[in-house]
Amino acid sequence: MSNKLKICLILSCLLFSMFPAMALKMIAIDTSLLVLKNVKVLDLKKGRFSKESNVAISNGKIVSIKFPVRKIKNSRTLDLEGKYIIPGLIDGHVHVTAMMHNNMEKTFANLNYYLQHGITSVRDAAGDGAALKKAQQEILEHTRQGAKVYFSAFMAGDWYYNRGIGLRKEPYQPWEQLITPATNLDSAMKAARQSGATGVKLYHSFDKVLLPKVVEAAKKNGLKVWGHAMMYPATPIEVASSGVEVISHVFMLENLIPDKDFHKRKAPFNMKDSVARQFDITPFCKIMKSRHAILDATLCVSEVRDPWIFSLLRKIYAQGVQISAGTDEIVDLNSEQPRLLDELSSFVDKCGFSMIDAIRSATILPAKVIGQENDLGSVEPGKIADLLVLNSDPLADVKSLGDIHMVIQSGIIQVDRSIRNGH
Ligand SMILES: [Zn+2]
């Protein structure tokens, strides 16, 4: 950093504490200021785009979305007339590492694929914690390119491991732990935190007695609490009642359906669909809403096997439960568009979501899922500048989310398709 710039920044800080209005003037001559001018900005709360605005970014953060035109000449400026800015997308449920033998380069390839497609952050819901921590650090330090990673410490009970389908024979790593009634939960959570995990993924073999204790210990240690909708034996109602903040997999709500024929392997799809349509989802939705819990639907993972999930999610959406988009799929690096866009298309086309709610489900809601809603998930002053610049209006067509002009992450232009397209 040049001395001149350093002095400018110090003066900015000093002046800001004394005279906020003057400090704004100092920021205006800060050479690190990037202004995106004449661009429409999505207001997630109002659910519509602004008229042409000027978005100012400094030190990785959005400092203004109504930057005064008269000050633009002192800044680095990009004219984005005709373009649309939305928050960088967040896939709320991915697995980017191989489970047993991680390949670090594959992890980076997956994370880079996401970034190239406008996904600036992901939540990894179980994987190799050592690799995830390394990826998390290198991406934040800008030594590697990719979506920012927030990951979980995987936790399951005795029955899960002893059935022999566990991921490990000797289950213990800070990011992958066996939890029983005898476990010192506070130590387990402290170890999880130290591994770099920002949440716990409660997977299997928890009952309604142990589960609330695990939830409480995680929250006490500042970890987000993520879990499956069915925890064998804890049922979806018990899981939601225990205080799990994010509940994964709409297909697991089949455990709420009492119809015995529904669970028969060869029951025809149309029979399952009609049962799911009649099923009363209200008690589950009431608990979810009263707890401000988020449903991590992951339609992608079971859409072929369980087509009845679409009508079920439609009802859950209509009841006003917060629904976050996640794919639970290992990245297919050859795919033209990320699975997240398929998930959002299903939300809109098959589950009755409005386009703005579909966008919320892949921005502000997954930001809440990872506990980063104060920094990520919307385009507002004070937030980190993770932005997606689109060529066409995503409120008009879900496909516009793939019509990328530019991807900005922490104020840095990471993808610029204008160069390739020559405009
Ligand atoms: Zn998963």
Side-chain angles (χ1 to χ4, degrees):
M1 189 186 288
S2 73
N3 280 344
K4 202 174 155 193
L5 184 57
K6 261 187 211 161
I7 292 165
C8 175
L9 286 173
I10 293 165
L11 271 176
S12 292
C13 294
L14 275 175
L15 286 168
F16 188 73
S17 55
M18 293 184 288
F19 310 105
M22 278 180 79
L24 191 67
K25 204 174 171 187
M26 291 303 292
I27 290 168
I29 57 163
D30 179 346
T31 51
S32 71
L33 196 70
L34 169 66
V35 179
L36 312 173
K37 73 170 187 177
N38 299 326
V39 66
K40 296 185 185 77
V41 178
L42 184 60
D43 182 328
L44 277 182
K45 286 186 191 130
K46 291 182 182 157
R48 56 179 155 79
F49 280 94
S50 67
K51 293 209 177 81
E52 272 70 15
S53 302
N54 303 315
V55 179
I57 297 166
S58 178
N59 295 317
K61 289 198 167 185
I62 300 162
V63 290
S64 168
I65 52 172
K66 287 181 184 150
F67 196 68
V69 177
R70 66 194 157 84
K71 290 181 181 168
I72 283 180
K73 59 181 180 294
N74 296 321
S75 323
R76 191 178 149 222
T77 306
L78 291 175
D79 192 340
L80 295 178
E81 194 179 354
K83 308 294 181 200
Y84 299 80
I85 286 192
I86 68 166
L89 300 176
I90 303 173
D91 189 327
H93 193 142
V94 302
H95 299 275
V96 292
T97 68
M99 286 295 181
M100 298 292 280
H101 304 288
N102 181 59
N103 176 338
M104 203 64 227
E105 286 313 305
K106 188 155 188 248
T107 299
F108 279 119
N110 288 341
L111 292 168
N112 192 39
Y113 173 90
Y114 286 127
L115 185 65
Q116 297 300 320
H117 290 85
I119 299 167
T120 48
S121 294
V122 295
R123 174 179 71 122
D124 191 288
D128 177 339
L132 290 165
K133 186 174 186 182
K134 190 170 161 53
Q136 186 184 60
Q137 282 173 340
E138 293 203 18
I139 285 164
L140 285 178
E141 288 162 7
H142 305 295
T143 51
R144 296 295 296 253
Q145 258 194 331
K148 290 181 254 188
V149 190
Y150 298 84
F151 67 91
S152 63
F154 175 97
M155 295 181 175
D158 198 37
W159 190 61
Y160 171 76
Y161 282 106
N162 288 334
R163 277 194 308 165
I165 61 158
L167 304 177
R168 300 171 61 88
K169 293 249 183 307
E170 285 293 325
Y172 191 80
Q173 289 285 353
W175 61 83
E176 195 210 323
Q177 300 190 36
L178 164 67
I179 302 288
T180 71
T183 303
N184 181 329
L185 293 176
D186 208 45
S187 307
M189 298 307 165
K190 284 191 167 59
R193 251 200 99 131
Q194 277 165 11
S195 76
T198 54
V200 290
K201 164 89 175 268
L202 307 178
Y203 189 79
H204 200 290
S205 315
F206 291 105
D207 64 23
K208 65 178 178 186
V209 178
L210 178 58
L211 188 57
K213 293 177 187 165
V214 178
V215 170
E216 195 192 330
K219 287 181 180 171
K220 205 180 111 203
N221 282 280
L223 289 159
K224 299 299 287 181
V225 187
W226 307 321
H228 271 189
M230 182 68 193
M231 295 240 197
Y232 304 95
T235 63
I237 294 270
E238 288 164 351
V239 170
S241 304
S242 72
V244 174
E245 294 167 294
V246 179
I247 295 180
S248 294
H249 306 313
V250 70
F251 77 87
M252 284 188 168
L253 298 180
E254 68 182 1
N255 293 287
L256 292 168
I257 296 174
D259 189 310
K260 285 198 183 78
D261 290 335
F262 185 92
H263 298 276
K264 284 187 183 147
R265 272 182 117 198
K266 289 192 174 163
F269 286 151
N270 57 1
M271 177 266 166
K272 290 200 172 199
D273 195 45
S274 76
V275 170
R277 272 178 207 278
Q278 289 158 29
F279 176 63
D280 182 12
I281 202 74
T282 306
F284 174 75
C285 292
K286 269 193 178 157
I287 298 169
M288 291 292 285
K289 286 192 286 183
S290 70
R291 292 259 177 189
H292 306 287
I294 298 173
L295 181 67
D296 164 34
T298 68
L299 293 173
C300 276
V301 77
S302 57
E303 61 188 352
V304 176
R305 191 184 64 207
D306 306 305
W308 53 269
I309 54 176
F310 298 116
S311 59
L312 194 64
L313 192 65
R314 180 182 281 270
K315 283 166 64 174
I316 297 170
Y317 171 69
Q319 293 215 12
V321 172
Q322 303 181 91
I323 298 164
S324 164
T327 53
D328 201 14
E329 293 238 319
I330 304 291
V331 177
D332 175 2
L333 297 176
N334 296 316
S335 175
E336 283 250 326
Q337 76 167 27
R339 288 290 274 158
L340 185 61
L341 297 200
D342 298 336
E343 186 79 3
L344 297 181
S345 295
S346 295
F347 281 3
V348 173
D349 298 339
K350 298 179 183 170
C351 304
F353 282 49
S354 63
M355 224 11 258
I356 187 67
D357 279 342
I359 294 174
R360 287 175 181 137
S361 79
T363 53
I364 191 64
L365 279 164
K368 265 193 199 175
V369 165
I370 56 179
Q372 299 295 314
E373 67 271 28
N374 293 329
D375 281 329
L376 303 177
S378 61
V379 188
E380 287 177 86
K383 286 208 172 182
I384 291 171
D386 284 2
L387 306 169
L388 186 50
V389 184
L390 301 170
N391 293 313
S392 49
D393 182 356
L395 293 180
D397 186 352
V398 67
K399 287 192 189 72
S400 296
L401 294 170
D403 190 9
I404 294 173
H405 176 71
M406 198 172 268
V407 183
I408 297 172
Q409 187 193 44
S410 299
I412 296 169
I413 299 168
Q414 296 279 11
V415 178
D416 185 354
R417 300 245 172 104
S418 64
I419 297 165
R420 196 184 68 184
N421 297 338
H423 58 76

